């Protein structure tokens, strides 16, 4: 896929650049999680490149889902602090997303300066892709650059609407993501899927599974599969066993039964009410199925990594990949990336994607609104 990237002729001294980044990082007790291969860190090179061209850089991201209302707990201020530390320059957070005062503050910027808009989702128009809101965003800048791969599957104002009103380009990180994810898979190709968000992930598995030689399932996503296979369900997984998901799991099983691997043992919590993780025998099984893999694609943790009892298998598989070093191995998904980074377990991956849902959608051949707008 070809998308427009900017060159020296497009951006010069004083150009106001609206740089859409994806700094939607996990938060824990009000603090953001920011690692060296995380989304904030990965957005740094483009900002530096733009500053070096003398641009006036206007950063914008969403954080969490405040649903169109101002929520001080979801202010981008901690993100700006993290950016400042990495950039070693000031990142002033403006008071709001759009409006006269925001426009004025931007006009007062010097070339090479960086400001940041407040959380885009403080405004209802963002998720609604509202025309008036998109126009107000466009008024802030001369050029639009999209570096927010993780948000490209959303038809939101800062991803899609704004591109109608400004010369629009892909940033370096977006370009790199597309390049890394556009390669033909090397075989044997093993797909590892975990995490939650079942209703979006199972249909994607249905498509992506075709390219894979093996599919290993863990996390909450394996539960409808266990049910569909009529295997014993040791717990009542509240809310994780919707009939619709079981039905789509059945369809996936029908297509791919010879290459699909589900857990053979599970770790339960003390009250035996929840599945915390896949068990040690499953880790052994998955490890042996991963032997000789030339390419691995992994999305979503194998267990509830937020709890001490839910982390072992995710860590064990990441360690195995750092030892095996498949020729190509891609990890994507906010929670999985953040967790493995904290544990210093990203060594086995050749590409750490800034997209979770966006990565899966792209790989399964969906047209992403944010990318279509840049062709
Ligand atoms: P990613 O962000 O890596 O794409 P998801 O957002 O799909 O992953 O899912 C991450 C979440 O999945 C984690 O919060 C984790 O607690 C949850 N999860 C993993 N295994 C289970 C399970 N067995 N039951 C419930 N939730 C689970
Ligand atoms: Mg997630």
């Amino acid at each position: 896929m070809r998308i427009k990237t900017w060159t020296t002729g497009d951006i010069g001294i004083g150009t106001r650049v609206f740089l859409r980044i994806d700094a939607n990082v996990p938060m824990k007790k009000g603090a953001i999680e920011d690692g060296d291969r995380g989304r904030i860190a990965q957005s740094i090179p483009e900002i530096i490149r733009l500053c070096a061209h003398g641009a006036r850089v206007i950063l914008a991201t969403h954080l969490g889902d405040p649903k169109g209302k101002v929520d001080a707990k979801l202010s981008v201020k901690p993100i700006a602090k993290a950016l400042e530390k990495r950039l070693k320059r000031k990142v002033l957070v403006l008071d709001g997303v759009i409006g006269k005062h925001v426009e004025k503050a931007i006009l007062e910027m010097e070339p090479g300066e960086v400001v940041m808009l407040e959380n885009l989702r403080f405004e209802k128009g963002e998720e609604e892709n509202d025309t008036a809101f998109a126009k107000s965003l466009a008024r802030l800048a001369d050029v639009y650059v999209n570096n927010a791969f993780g948000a490209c599957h959303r038809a939101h104002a800062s991803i899609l609407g704004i591109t109608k009103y400004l010369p629009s380009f892909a940033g370096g990180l977006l370009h790199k993501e597309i390049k890394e994810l556009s390669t033909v898979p090397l075989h044997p190709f093993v797909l590892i899927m975990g995490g939650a968000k079942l209703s979006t992930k199972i249909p994607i598995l249905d498509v992506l599974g075709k390219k894979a030689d093996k599919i290993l399932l863990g996390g909450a996503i394996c539960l409808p599969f266990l049910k569909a296979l009529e295997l014993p369900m040791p717990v009542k997984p509240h809310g994780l066993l919707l009939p619709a998901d079981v039905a789509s799991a059945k369809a996936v099983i029908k297509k791919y039964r010879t290459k699909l691997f589900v857990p053979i043992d599970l770790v339960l919590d003390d009250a035996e009410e929840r599945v915390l993780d896949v068990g040690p025998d499953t880790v052994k099984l998955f490890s042996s199925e991963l032997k000789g893999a030339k390419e691995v694609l992994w999305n979503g943790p194998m267990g509830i990594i937020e709890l001490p009892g839910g982390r072992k298998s995710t860590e064990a598989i990441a360690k195995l990949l750092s030892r095996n070093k498949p020729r190509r191995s891609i990890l994507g998904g906010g929670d999985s990336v953040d967790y493995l980074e904290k544990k210093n377990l990203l060594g086995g991956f050749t590409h750490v994607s800034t997209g979770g849902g966006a990565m899966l959608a792209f790989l399964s051949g969906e047209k992403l609104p944010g990318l279509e707008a840049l062709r």
Side-chain angles (χ1 to χ4, degrees), residues 195-197 201 219-220 240 275 299-306 333-336:
K197 298 188 186 153
K201 284 190 187 180
L240 293 172
V275 177
N299 167 259
M302 294 287 103
I304 306 184
I305 43 172
E306 293 85 352
D335 295 284
S336 359

Side-chain angles (χ1 to χ4, degrees), residues 26 39 194-198 200-201 218-223 237-238 240 266-267 274-278 298-307 310 314 331-338 355-357 359-360:
R39 288 173 167 175
K197 298 188 186 153
L198 315 194
T200 53
K201 284 190 187 180
I221 197 176
C222 76
L223 300 174
H238 309 282
L240 293 172
L266 295 168
V267 181
R274 254 197 310 185
V275 177
L276 290 178
D277 200 358
V278 303
W298 185 357
N299 167 259
M302 294 287 103
I304 306 184
I305 43 172
E306 293 85 352
L307 299 175
T314 302
L331 175 71
D335 295 284
S336 359
V337 170
D338 174 65
M359 177 187 81
L360 292 173

Side-chain angles (χ1 to χ4, degrees), residues 58-72:
I58 305 148
L59 298 172
T61 184
H62 71 282
L63 176 63
D65 196 5
K67 298 206 158 50
K69 285 201 195 84
V70 176
D71 176 353

Side-chain angles (χ1 to χ4, degrees), residues 7 53 88 119-120 170 291 312 333 350 364:
T7 55
H53 272 71
K88 297 183 184 70
N119 190 340
L120 289 161
K291 262 196 203 109
K312 252 200 187 129
T350 53
S364 66

